[in-house]
């Protein structure tokens, strides 16, 4: 792609020289420096950024997505790879396949941008900024672990436009949450216009499905860091936006603003990746698909007098998570399609992508809970790396915080950012939304919070992966912004005061001039500014002999 672009612009991609000051030579020198740094930043570039063999092994065998439940899980709280294909061998044994290696669990050791060595926890290698430990099933945080994964199961019942539920997704009803929470209930006025925000009523199922898709940023996308670069571009191109760093000081040219915005933003994105993946690598936690199926296999934990009781099962919730019975599987009843599974657990949920996604959608149906799938492409299902903490949430809050600090305001230009989801054109693996609507965010923070929430609706993260990551993202951005501002300061090169004749070097001619002014107050020869040309000035000449500071 880059070669084609060069050729289209009339340049040859075969020019590899680094000598001289032609644009190509300067670009090649920059590239050489970046490549050299990349080979020494602990990113394992020499093996295509893979883990070294034998490090970060999986403790759980793969979960075969196409088969029910999770019979192979050994430790329900630890990461489990997914097998997107399988075959049964001649002995009747299921052989999983189609799952990639765990992505970059070592990334916490990559050289950061603004993070400092003291920010890493000495007791938790690769872990920056002192995050809390994740909750553990039957351990510390047991209730939070169960509630988090069951919360994902619960919201998957909302992924339909047919339930009659309509919600207000305007800034007057959503957003304005405290960092690390979902406690916001919107805000009354648009600060740019002074007028109240108008209601924006949308089918909940359209909003939740498009929310998951808009922020998905999975394979073949710009990814979450790229998404925040795109949002930064929208902000920079807004007709009312004024390019001042922090909203103060001189107005910058388009080029200077873009350069500094990208440095600050992508420095923060770089450190967000290091922070999130360092924690992922250290804690190696389970994703919802493995946890929900494992709990469903065990049964229900609500009532020991009912069938399929297990302390490690799912909580029952009438209308959402229920025991399958002979009565409920009778013809015309809600579980009629689950006949044969009496005594097992059913969930009202999205059942997976339809056979013809271009023109149909799945809605939600009563499904064997052991077959639960995330709201994702069937060729993806869940990212191939541990859950805690959410990368999306870390990236997004870091991006939002950087935009706030670079622009000087937490609000989008005009007091509202928007994105249109077009009817039956936006969703990818099923048809939808059923109506055209707009996402609306008052602030960058509101957008970032919805990015974190999207991973719950998408079935990728429980809330305990999301909320702490938002706090980490904010902390990352502060440190990255401080580093960026330091880089933006003018480079001050001290004058070469011993170069009396200003020819770029300290040599015999300078010594001759100094000796000719000996004992006088000649300003040019009085190098140390003592009021007289003497031995101190001679010492300054000799100590600088043959050199001048870089740039002089």
């Amino acid at each position: 792609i880059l070669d084609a672009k060069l050729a289209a612009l009339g340049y040859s991609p075969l020019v590899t020289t680094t000598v001289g000051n032609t644009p190509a030579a300067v670009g090649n020198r920059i590239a050489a420096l970046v490549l050299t740094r990349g080979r020494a930043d602990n990113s394992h570039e020499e093996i295509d950024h893979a883990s070294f063999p034998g490090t970060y092994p999986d403790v759980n065998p793969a979960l075969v997505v196409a088969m029910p439940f999770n019979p192979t899980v050994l430790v329900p709280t630890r990461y489990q790879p997914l097998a997107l294909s399988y075959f049964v061998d001649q002995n009747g044994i299921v052989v999983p396949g189609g799952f990639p290696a765990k992505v970059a669990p070592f990334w916490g050791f990559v050289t950061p941008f603004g993070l400092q060595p003291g920010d890493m926890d000495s007791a938790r290698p690769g872990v920056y900024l002192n995050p809390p430990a994740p909750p553990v099933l039957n351990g510390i945080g047991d209730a939070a672990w169960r509630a988090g994964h069951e919360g994902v199961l619960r919201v998957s019942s909302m992924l339909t436009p047919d339930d009659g539920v309509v919600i207000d997704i305007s800034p007057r009803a959503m957003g304005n949450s405290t960092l690390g929470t979902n406690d916001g209930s919107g805000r009354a006025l648009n600060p740019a216009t002074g007028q109240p925000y108008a209601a924006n009523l949308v089918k909940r199922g359209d909003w939740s499905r498009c929310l998951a898709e808009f922020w998905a940023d999975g394979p073949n996308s710009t990814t979450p860091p790229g998404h925040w670069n795109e949002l930064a571009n929208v902000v920079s191109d807004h007709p009312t936006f004024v390019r001042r760093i922090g909203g103060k000081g001189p107005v910058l040219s388009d080029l200077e603003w873009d350069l500094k915005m990208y440095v600050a933003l992508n420095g923060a994105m770089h450190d967000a990746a290091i922070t999130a993946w360092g924690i992922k690598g250290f804690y190696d936690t389970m994703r919802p698909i493995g946890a929900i199926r494992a709990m469903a296999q065990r049964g229900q934990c609500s009532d020991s007098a009912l069938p399929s009781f297990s302390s490690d099962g799912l909580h029952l919730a009438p209308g959402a998570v229920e025991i399958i019975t002979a009565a409920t599987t009778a013809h015309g009843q809600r579980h009629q399609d689950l006949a044969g599974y009496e005594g097992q657990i059913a969930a009202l949920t999205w059942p997976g992508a339809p056979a013809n996604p271009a023109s149909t959608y799945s809605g939600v149906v009563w499904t064997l809970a052991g077959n639960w799938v995330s709201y994702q492409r069937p060729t993806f299902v869940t990212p191939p790396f541990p859950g805690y903490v959410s990368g999306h949430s870390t990236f997004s809050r870091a991006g939002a915080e950087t935009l706030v600090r670079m622009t000087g305001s937490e609000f989008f230009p005009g007091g509202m950012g928007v994105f249109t989801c077009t009817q039956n054109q936006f969703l990818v693996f099923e048809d939808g939304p059923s109506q055209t609507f707009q996402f609306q965010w008052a602030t960058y923070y509101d957008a970032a919070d919805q990015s974190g929430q999207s991973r719950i609706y998408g079935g990728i993260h429980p809330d305990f992966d999301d909320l702490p990551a938002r706090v980490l993202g904010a902390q990352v951005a502060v440190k990255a912004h401080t580093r960026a501002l330091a880089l933006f300061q003018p480079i001050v090169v001290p004058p070469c005061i011993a170069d009396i004749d200003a020819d770029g070097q300290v040599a015999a001619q300078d010594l001759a001039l100094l000796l000719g002014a000996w004992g006088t107050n000649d300003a040019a020869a009085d190098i140390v500014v003592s009021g007289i040309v003497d031995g101190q000035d001679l010492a300054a000449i000799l100590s600088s002999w043959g050199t001048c500071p870089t740039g002089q």
Side-chain angles (χ1 to χ4, degrees), residues 229-277:
N229 276 262
E230 292 172 340
L231 289 174
N233 292 344
V234 170
V235 171
S236 298
D237 293 341
H238 194 278
T240 68
F241 181 68
V242 181
R243 295 168 177 80
R244 291 189 175 99
I245 294 180
K248 304 174 183 176
V251 177
L252 305 185
S253 68
D254 291 358
L255 176 60
E256 183 175 356
W257 170 262
D258 286 347
L259 174 65
K260 292 180 176 179
M261 169 61 87
Y262 293 145
V263 166
L265 179 59
N266 292 298
M269 295 295 101
H270 177 68
D271 282 3
I274 289 170
T275 300
W277 263 255

Side-chain angles (χ1 to χ4, degrees), residues 432-449:
S434 66
Q435 298 174 340
T436 297
F437 74 93
Q438 277 189 337
F439 284 118
Q440 296 177 343
W441 313 286
T443 69
Y444 309 120
Y445 297 141
D446 294 343
D449 288 348

Side-chain angles (χ1 to χ4, degrees), residues 61-67 72 80-89 93-101 378-381 384:
L63 184 158
V64 179
V65 175
M67 300 183 70
T72 62
Q80 184 176 32
L82 299 186
L84 301 183
S85 64
Y86 74 97
F87 68 92
V88 180
D89 69 11
I93 297 174
V94 174
V95 180
F99 52 91
T379 55
F380 179 65
V381 185

Side-chain angles (χ1 to χ4, degrees), residues 142-179:
D142 172 76
W145 190 92
R146 296 169 188 265
H149 290 294
E150 290 176 341
V152 173
L153 179 61
R154 183 178 65 255
V155 300
S156 67
S157 69
M158 303 176 185
L159 299 170
T160 176
D162 300 329
D163 59 8
V165 179
V166 174
I167 60 175
D168 185 356
I169 65 168
S170 72
R172 80 173 190 175
M174 284 189 172
N176 202 21
S177 292
T178 308
L179 175 59

Side-chain angles (χ1 to χ4, degrees), residues 190-525:
N190 181 328
T193 65
Q195 299 300 310
Y197 285 107
N200 183 15
L201 300 178
V202 176
K203 292 179 180 180
R204 182 180 64 182
D206 281 340
W207 174 80
S208 58
R209 292 183 301 153
C210 288
L211 183 74
E213 179 62 32
F214 178 75
W215 295 105
D217 298 328
N220 303 316
S221 75
T222 60
T223 73
H227 200 142
W228 281 91
N229 276 262
E230 292 172 340
L231 289 174
N233 292 344
V234 170
V235 171
S236 298
D237 293 341
H238 194 278
T240 68
F241 181 68
V242 181
R243 295 168 177 80
R244 291 189 175 99
I245 294 180
K248 304 174 183 176
V251 177
L252 305 185
S253 68
D254 291 358
L255 176 60
E256 183 175 356
W257 170 262
D258 286 347
L259 174 65
K260 292 180 176 179
M261 169 61 87
Y262 293 145
V263 166
L265 179 59
N266 292 298
M269 295 295 101
H270 177 68
D271 282 3
I274 289 170
T275 300
W277 263 255
I279 297 167
K280 289 175 184 290
F282 185 83
Y283 284 109
D284 195 52
T285 62
M286 177 66 85
R287 294 282 187 165
I289 187 169
I292 290 170
R293 289 192 180 192
M295 288 190 286
Q297 181 170 333
R298 286 157 176 76
Q300 55 86 17
C301 64
S302 292
D303 190 338
S304 60
L306 295 177
S308 301
F309 176 78
S310 167
S311 60
D312 288 338
L314 292 165
H315 283 91
L316 298 175
V321 181
E322 300 180 348
I323 298 174
I324 303 167
T325 68
T328 62
T329 57
H331 181 71
Q333 298 302 308
R334 61 188 181 279
H335 300 159
Q336 67 173 3
D337 294 333
L338 298 176
Y341 291 103
E342 286 79 5
Q344 299 283 357
I345 307 301
L348 184 63
T349 184
W350 185 74
N356 186 2
S359 60
T360 58
Y361 61 93
S362 297
V364 296
V365 298
W366 282 102
T367 303
L368 186 68
N371 281 332
W372 183 87
V373 291
S374 54
Y375 188 72
Q376 301 290 323
R377 293 167 176 80
T379 55
F380 179 65
V381 185
T382 287
F385 42 82
Y388 184 81
V389 292
S390 167
H392 272 65
S393 301
T394 314
F395 284 127
S396 294
R397 188 66 187 210
E401 189 66 47
T402 299
L403 286 173
V404 170
R405 290 171 177 270
M406 286 296 292
T407 66
S409 172
E410 66 182 89
F411 288 87
F412 280 89
M416 187 164 69
V418 300
F419 179 84
T420 300
C421 292
T422 305
Q423 181 180 16
N424 295 333
Q425 298 296 315
F426 184 69
L427 296 181
V428 174
F429 45 86
E430 67 175 351
D431 203 24
S434 66
Q435 298 174 340
T436 297
F437 74 93
Q438 277 189 337
F439 284 118
Q440 296 177 343
W441 313 286
T443 69
Y444 309 120
Y445 297 141
D446 294 343
D449 288 348
Q450 286 197 8
S451 173
Q453 291 171 326
S454 78
R455 305 305 274 169
I456 299 172
Y457 284 93
I460 299 299
H461 286 289
D463 60 357
F464 60 75
D465 286 355
D466 167 31
L467 300 179
R470 301 184 197 179
V471 178
L472 291 167
Q475 294 171 328
V476 162
V478 171
K479 291 179 177 292
H481 191 68
T482 299
R483 171 78 193 285
L485 290 181
L487 293 175
F488 300 161
Q489 298 304 311
I491 298 173
V492 178
V493 179
C496 188
I497 57 175
D499 181 17
I500 299 173
D501 66 353
D503 67 351
Q505 60 180 337
V506 180
Q509 183 61 30
D510 301 299
L511 178 59
L513 292 172
L514 182 138
L515 294 176
W518 194 269
T520 72
N521 63 355
D522 183 287

